[in-house]
Amino acid sequence: MKKKILIILLIIILSFALGMAIHTVQVKRQYTAFIGAVEYIEENNVFIISEDETLKNNYKHLYFKVAEGSETTWKTGDKLEIKFHKEHINEDGFIENPTLTYLGKARLFENKSGVPVSNSENLGGNYVFKSFYDYNTSLNLKEFSQKENFYLKKIISYEEYLEYQKIIPEIRTLTEDDFINYYLIILLSTDVENVYTLEGPDEETTSLTLNILKHQSISKPSTESEPTYSGVSIVVPNRCDFDIENINLLTKSTSN
């Protein structure tokens, strides 16, 4: 008798555990998650660019609401993991009660908000540059490409930028938000008798040409050390984000 009771209890326990497992799996299956970036915020609606191609194809817009007065909770370029119940998205792409996890900053390739580079008087979407001398003699040039007598480095993340700013503190100062809509190119020349500036870009469908002007240096900074490099840091809009092999340099001399 005791055996039968024990077997019945065991069956009940196993059935309960199995039921809970099935329920948990079913609940999990009812949710979906994707990675996206905040494209823009309109009133208290946060519009998202999805990395999920199926969602992008199925919905013209993807967005969720934040409580009135908390529109600054998220900013353009914030990268989020968005989890929601499969029944909580309507035909318009509105997501109700999503669970949001901040993942850092994303890169946006259409500067729809016209955001300028920080500390710049230029309008959004324009190039910004800064000429400089560098005194670092231990720079690892193996991390640079060589083009037109320049060493070239392309930097697309704020984290990598901070690493190079420690090594070359003279490069243009940028913020984390700058790397949402722009990236940085560092050009170095061992010809320290000249100063380099950006005349302007030639943007093509598959390539970018940076027109560099070479000015004869009248005087170097009054320091005890001789410069190792003469350089220029160029902030480029993401719309012209090409691989290094498709970024060309055209240098010409000019008299001061």
Side-chain angles (χ1 to χ4, degrees):
M1 186 68 180
K2 287 183 180 180
K3 256 187 196 180
K4 286 184 179 179
I5 294 172
L6 190 60
I7 292 171
I8 291 170
L9 286 174
L10 187 59
I11 291 172
I12 292 171
I13 292 170
L14 289 174
S15 299
F16 178 77
L18 182 61
M20 288 297 295
I22 292 171
H23 175 73
T24 301
V25 169
Q26 287 176 339
V27 169
K28 285 184 178 179
R29 285 176 180 171
Q30 290 175 345
Y31 284 84
T32 187
F34 69 96
I35 305 298
V38 177
E39 183 178 17
Y40 64 94
I41 300 169
E42 190 174 272
E43 296 179 349
N44 61 333
N45 293 316
V46 181
F47 289 84
I48 299 295
I49 300 173
S50 173
E51 293 183 5
D52 185 297
E53 291 299 325
T54 301
L55 288 173
K56 285 170 69 174
N57 293 333
N58 289 343
Y59 299 96
K60 185 177 180 181
H61 300 288
L62 288 168
Y63 66 101
F64 60 87
K65 288 183 181 292
V66 293
E68 190 172 347
S70 61
E71 292 86 350
T72 58
T73 303
W74 305 110
K75 296 180 180 178
T76 297
D78 284 347
K79 189 173 184 178
L80 306 174
E81 180 188 47
I82 301 169
K83 184 178 179 182
F84 61 95
H85 193 284
K86 66 177 183 179
E87 295 177 356
H88 288 176
I89 183 169
N90 65 20
E91 294 179 358
D92 189 38
F94 170 66
I95 302 169
E96 185 180 359
N97 299 324
T99 300
L100 307 170
T101 304
Y102 177 71
L103 301 177
K105 295 293 182 179
R107 298 184 69 205
L108 302 182
F109 295 87
E110 292 184 32
N111 192 345
K112 293 182 178 179
S113 57
V115 179
V117 180
S118 60
N119 300 311
S120 170
E121 295 180 357
N122 287 11
L123 297 175
N126 287 331
Y127 293 69
V128 174
F129 73 90
K130 179 192 174 186
S131 303
F132 62 88
Y133 282 111
D134 180 53
Y135 298 84
N136 193 319
T137 57
S138 59
L139 189 63
N140 184 8
L141 294 175
K142 290 182 180 179
E143 298 177 353
F144 286 66
S145 301
Q146 277 191 280
K147 290 198 175 190
E148 295 290 326
N149 299 318
F150 285 98
Y151 294 98
L152 182 152
K153 180 66 180 178
K154 175 185 174 183
I155 299 174
I156 64 172
S157 74
Y158 185 62
E159 291 72 23
E160 187 177 19
Y161 163 77
L162 290 178
E163 293 176 9
Y164 276 92
Q165 190 186 40
K166 290 178 183 177
I167 302 169
I168 314 173
E170 296 83 4
I171 61 176
R172 194 188 197 276
T173 301
L174 296 171
T175 67
E176 183 177 16
D177 284 347
D178 285 326
F179 283 89
I180 295 172
N181 296 296
Y182 301 89
Y183 67 95
L184 179 67
I185 289 177
I186 300 174
L187 297 181
L188 297 175
S189 171
T190 55
D191 178 10
V192 296
E193 299 302 319
N194 290 286
V195 175
Y196 297 92
T197 61
L198 175 69
E199 181 183 33
D202 288 329
E203 299 179 2
E204 303 291 341
T205 305
T206 58
S207 66
L208 170 67
T209 299
L210 298 173
N211 298 298
I212 306 299
L213 290 178
K214 181 168 71 172
H215 310 264
Q216 188 173 0
S217 178
I218 298 175
S219 62
K220 297 188 183 71
S222 55
T223 61
E224 294 181 2
S225 304
E226 181 73 11
T228 308
Y229 305 102
S230 179
V232 57
S233 51
I234 304 171
V235 187
V236 183
N238 282 348
R239 68 172 182 269
C240 293
D241 183 29
F242 297 107
D243 293 334
I244 288 291
E245 55 266 26
N246 293 324
I247 298 176
N248 306 308
L249 305 176
L250 184 62
T251 309
K252 61 181 179 182
S253 300
T254 184
S255 57
N256 290 331

